[in-house]
Amino acid sequence: MGRRNINKKLECVSHMAMGIIILAAVSISIPAYPNDLTIEMPLLGSRDADDETMTVSFDMSWDNSWRNSRNYDAVWIFVKFSTDGGDTWEHATMSSAGENPSGFSGGYGTDVDLVVPSDKKGFFVRRAASGAGTVGINGMEFVWAWGEDGVGATDDITLKVFGVEMVYVPKGSFYAGDGDGVTESRYAIHAQGADNTKASITASDTDITCDNNANDDMDTSSVTVNGLNGIDGNTSYPNGYRAFYVMKYEVTEGEWVGFFNMLSSAEKLNRDLTSLNGKNSDAVVDRNTVSWSSGSALTTRADRACSYLSWADICAYADWAALRPMSELEYEKAARGKNIAPSDAGEYAWGDTGVTAATAINGVEDGTETISTQDANACYNDNTFAGGDGGTGPLRAGIFATSESTRHQAGAGYYGCMELSGNLWERCVSVGNAAGRVFQGTHGDGALTAIEGYEGNATNSDWPGYSEGQGVISSAGSGFKGGSWLETTVGRMAISDRDRASMTSSARISDGGGRCARTAE
């Protein structure tokens, strides 16, 4: 059998901005958020009837990219398809796994690698060589295995391509906890040694051993990590030693709305941030602009970090995007860096104890706004902003970073993640209780539960809060790291502070958000 064309519509979404082609006739490109991640679809593929695959080509670009001897950033690309005109959506499977597999092409422009993980639920785009600045690519190609996804030979198809900016955190030892056992962050992780202080996570790929192999003493507040084979014997727990990718920014309103608008009506009811158990309004509440009553949700500030996200919400987004939740040990690794001992108790994600709160916004909040407060590098202290939209609440993702800023000025973690301290609480998997320690770090498969009454929940049984037949419905085993815009206790923004690391809150709170991760292969 030969190759023949297939009826199709393709849409591309990056941070929920969209380039769309209908029957290869119309192309619309809209800039995305933040750092102007843009995906366009200038060329539709054709179907290979023998292999049941389709080659899809698109252009993409993003700003402030880098690759150096420390690490690199990347974009996680995943694809959704519909065979019923967009009423329902499913997750597309790539044809092959590996680095630059057969049929995949980085196109023309910046030299990039395409890395498809073994589950083939998407692929990473990363610089192939050291460099910094804007990545621009024309004619990138991937191969979709439509036969594996149950698509019929004559089905009309609509595709949407999504992109999320990620940061690569390399494999290696790191320190969890800080201080000297007396002056330290609240409930910081300890190694039971002579100084009763920070733990050096010197794990193999499957084990975690800390300092002098003492006792196993984990509870819901202070945590002592010593001599453990995995976490409570769970050798798959993402302890931070293995390499992983983590979102460069907290989930934004644009990303959330783009996800939400792909859901069924029943799923939307369970994921509605504007409902009675959320912000209870379609108006702007604490700078959250998401609105929905029926049809598609809207946001007027797509690049603003999205608040009112519950643990179940973060897990649902992660499952849908073929990502996973981040553990609190991975949070500390991403913030502090590999083999970097804390210099001071209470250091923040940017590596020191100096912090200045943002109080004033310069410009219209359209993704180009900046902070005019001198030396500001964090959003905290429940400030009512002067300028911009005013009010109290989170800021846009990456707002403190410029092309000239230092790590301190940008408020950046060691590997380049933004707003790990402040803005919104990071919902993480806790090591402080048994419900969190069963986490095995499985990845989402792009599909949410369809069980009546529980539609739209994540389906991974090892994720904290999972209930058989219902999906992730509770917050048991999760917690909070990093502080928020609402916090007036500045110490809660410290890397090692665990004051709320085992706080199991299922509520949609005005300063709750988060980001997702994926284990590297």
Side-chain angles (χ1 to χ4, degrees):
M1 297 176 63
R3 299 170 67 93
R4 65 178 186 172
N5 290 331
I6 177 173
N7 295 326
K8 62 267 185 194
K9 282 193 275 184
L10 278 80
E11 297 181 51
C12 284
V13 180
S14 57
H15 282 284
M16 308 323 131
M18 186 177 298
I20 178 172
I21 287 187
I22 302 177
L23 298 179
V26 180
S27 178
I28 303 173
S29 173
I30 304 174
Y33 308 89
N35 283 342
D36 294 324
L37 170 61
T38 304
I39 297 177
E40 302 177 21
M41 187 66 69
L43 180 64
L44 306 186
S46 59
R47 181 183 58 185
D48 187 317
D50 294 328
D51 295 336
E52 296 187 328
T53 61
M54 175 190 290
T55 299
V56 181
S57 176
F58 63 96
D59 300 343
M60 71 176 295
S61 65
W62 78 96
D63 294 340
N64 301 326
S65 171
W66 74 88
R67 181 164 187 161
N68 53 38
S69 60
R70 176 185 299 177
N71 78 318
Y72 54 83
D73 74 335
V75 174
W76 171 243
I77 299 289
F78 60 99
V79 181
K80 302 289 181 176
F81 71 91
S82 175
T83 57
D84 57 12
D87 289 339
T88 59
W89 295 90
E90 298 180 60
H91 199 93
T93 303
M94 301 296 106
S95 64
S96 305
E99 185 173 322
N100 302 317
S102 177
F104 286 66
S105 170
Y108 306 94
T110 308
D111 191 15
V112 296
D113 291 321
L114 310 186
V115 182
V116 185
S118 58
D119 62 5
K120 302 186 293 185
K121 294 301 181 181
F123 58 95
F124 289 100
V125 181
R126 69 184 186 195
R127 286 177 176 269
S130 295
T134 298
V135 170
I137 306 161
N138 294 322
M140 179 177 292
E141 293 183 339
F142 67 88
V143 184
W144 171 37
W146 53 267
E148 289 188 41
D149 290 331
V151 175
T154 59
D155 288 344
D156 287 343
I157 297 171
T158 305
L159 289 182
K160 288 188 177 183
V161 179
F162 292 83
V164 177
E165 292 186 62
M166 309 286 284
V167 167
Y168 176 75
V169 178
K171 174 181 176 180
S173 302
F174 69 102
Y175 287 93
D178 63 14
D180 58 8
V182 178
T183 303
E184 62 183 19
S185 294
R186 188 168 172 82
Y187 300 134
I189 289 175
H190 289 167
Q192 189 68 39
D195 59 359
N196 193 37
T197 184
K198 57 188 177 292
S200 176
I201 309 299
T202 55
S204 70
D205 274 345
T206 57
D207 298 339
I208 175 171
T209 56
C210 303
D211 285 0
N212 68 344
N213 296 333
N215 60 352
D216 174 1
D217 176 24
M218 288 196 173
D219 56 36
T220 57
S221 54
S222 185
V223 175
T224 303
V225 182
N226 296 283
L228 300 177
N229 181 22
I231 299 290
D232 282 2
N234 172 15
T235 58
S236 296
Y237 186 90
N239 57 37
Y241 181 82
R242 294 183 289 274
F244 63 96
Y245 291 90
V246 62
M247 290 174 66
K248 189 184 295 183
Y249 310 103
E250 294 166 323
V251 175
T252 64
E253 289 190 12
E255 286 174 318
W256 179 260
V257 166
F259 153 69
F260 184 87
N261 289 342
M262 301 284 283
L263 303 180
S264 68
S265 297
E267 290 170 334
K268 287 177 178 176
L269 290 175
N270 285 329
R271 298 277 72 84
D272 179 18
L273 306 184
T274 70
S275 66
L276 182 63
N277 66 356
K279 68 174 189 172
N280 193 28
S281 177
D282 284 323
V284 178
V285 179
D286 289 323
R287 291 174 55 83
N288 182 298
T289 74
V290 175
S291 62
W292 179 75
S293 55
S294 63
S296 295
L298 299 173
T299 171
T300 60
R301 295 293 180 254
D303 51 342
R304 185 172 292 168
C306 189
S307 55
Y308 288 98
L309 295 183
S310 69
W311 176 249
D313 292 331
I314 284 289
C315 289
Y317 179 86
D319 193 358
W320 173 82
L323 299 170
R324 63 164 174 80
M326 173 176 60
S327 77
E328 64 165 300
L329 289 174
E330 289 176 316
Y331 167 89
E332 292 214 23
K333 170 77 169 287
R336 180 169 289 125
K338 183 172 68 173
N339 290 323
I340 306 296
S343 58
D344 296 292
E347 67 181 15
Y348 304 112
W350 43 88
D352 60 50
T353 57
V355 59
T356 301
T359 59
I361 300 170
N362 181 45
V364 177
E365 295 197 51
D366 58 2
T368 63
E369 72 272 19
T370 58
I371 294 299
S372 55
T373 310
Q374 186 174 358
D375 299 326
N377 62 351
C379 179
Y380 75 99
N381 208 37
D382 193 17
N383 289 311
T384 300
F385 294 113
D389 295 339
T392 61
L395 296 167
R396 74 164 171 89
I399 194 168
F400 299 105
T402 70
S403 59
E404 304 297 327
S405 57
T406 65
R407 178 183 169 192
H408 174 94
Q409 291 167 334
Y414 183 81
Y415 293 107
C417 292
M418 301 297 164
E419 286 84 52
L420 287 169
S421 291
N423 216 34
L424 292 173
W425 281 107
E426 306 277 343
R427 287 187 178 268
C428 300
V429 179
S430 178
V431 296
N433 57 54
R437 296 194 293 272
V438 301
F439 182 48
Q440 297 181 29
T442 61
H443 297 129
D445 61 3
L448 304 177
T449 184
I451 300 298
E452 185 174 357
Y454 300 98
E455 297 93 343
N457 290 333
T459 59
N460 294 60
S461 59
D462 65 298
W463 291 7
Y466 176 83
S467 178
E468 184 67 34
Q470 300 172 339
V472 175
I473 59 170
S474 81
S475 63
S478 70
F480 300 88
K481 292 280 286 184
S484 76
W485 66 266
L486 186 58
E487 282 300 327
T488 56
T489 304
V490 67
R492 287 178 176 158
M493 294 198 302
I495 296 171
S496 296
D497 184 272
R498 301 191 64 259
D499 190 52
R500 297 188 178 180
S502 299
M503 179 179 173
T504 55
S505 169
S506 296
R508 290 184 172 121
I509 57 177
S510 63
D511 58 342
R515 71 188 79 208
C516 307
R518 200 174 220 277
T519 306
E521 297 180 1

